[in-house]
Amino acid sequence: MLINNKNGQYDFSLVDINRIHFDKKIDFHKAIANINMLSDDPQTLLDISKAYAEVKHIEPREAASRMFVSKYINGLRRCYRKKFLSPLKRFSQLVSCLFSKRHVHASSDSKCF
């Protein structure tokens, strides 16, 4: 169980350790990507990267810089997906709907646009 106290408010999280496999080797880049998903707070990520660097016996600055570069790149990817791929997906759904047999025999309960 994870307990977080913020301004007198407690947040509780339950971790199912039965599904955790400790024998897997995770490369550095994959580990950084996983750690980046833990928080959006830069100070929290910096603290985690320092602890990770200590455990892995690597330079803390290297871990922190790679973490923030990875966070930045993931943000760019997310922005790309939202701004460019989401409209394409909606357009594809519209075209698919327009050319479906259901549209030819459209009724009031049709799900086409």
Side-chain angles (χ1 to χ4, degrees):
M1 178 175 281
L2 301 175
I3 302 170
N4 190 10
N5 181 1
K6 285 188 179 180
N7 301 327
Q9 293 291 103
Y10 288 94
D11 291 326
F12 298 95
S13 301
L14 185 62
V15 178
D16 183 4
I17 60 171
N18 290 329
R19 296 174 193 244
I20 297 176
H21 299 280
F22 295 102
D23 59 339
K24 261 188 174 177
K25 299 287 184 207
I26 298 176
D27 71 329
F28 183 72
H29 298 291
K30 181 70 174 172
I32 293 296
N34 288 339
I35 291 170
N36 272 328
M37 289 188 258
L38 294 175
S39 176
D40 285 331
D41 179 43
Q43 185 60 48
T44 301
L45 289 177
L46 183 61
D47 294 341
I48 292 172
S49 70
K50 285 179 183 177
Y52 180 75
E54 186 178 313
V55 169
K56 288 296 193 176
H57 306 293
I58 58 175
E59 185 65 34
R61 286 182 189 227
E62 179 185 355
S65 67
R66 287 197 184 188
M67 179 150 328
F68 287 111
V69 166
S70 174
K71 191 74 164 174
Y72 177 74
I73 290 171
N74 287 340
L76 290 177
R77 286 182 183 145
R78 188 177 321 116
C79 180
Y80 172 77
R81 283 192 306 267
K82 283 186 174 187
K83 291 195 182 228
F84 297 107
L85 296 183
S86 291
L88 287 176
K89 184 177 179 182
R90 286 192 298 271
F91 177 74
S92 171
Q93 290 169 343
L94 174 64
V95 169
S96 159
C97 185
L98 289 174
F99 289 103
S100 70
K101 289 183 180 180
R102 187 174 7 160
H103 182 69
V104 174
H105 304 289
S107 64
S108 60
D109 63 339
S110 176
K111 296 196 188 234
C112 289
F113 300 96

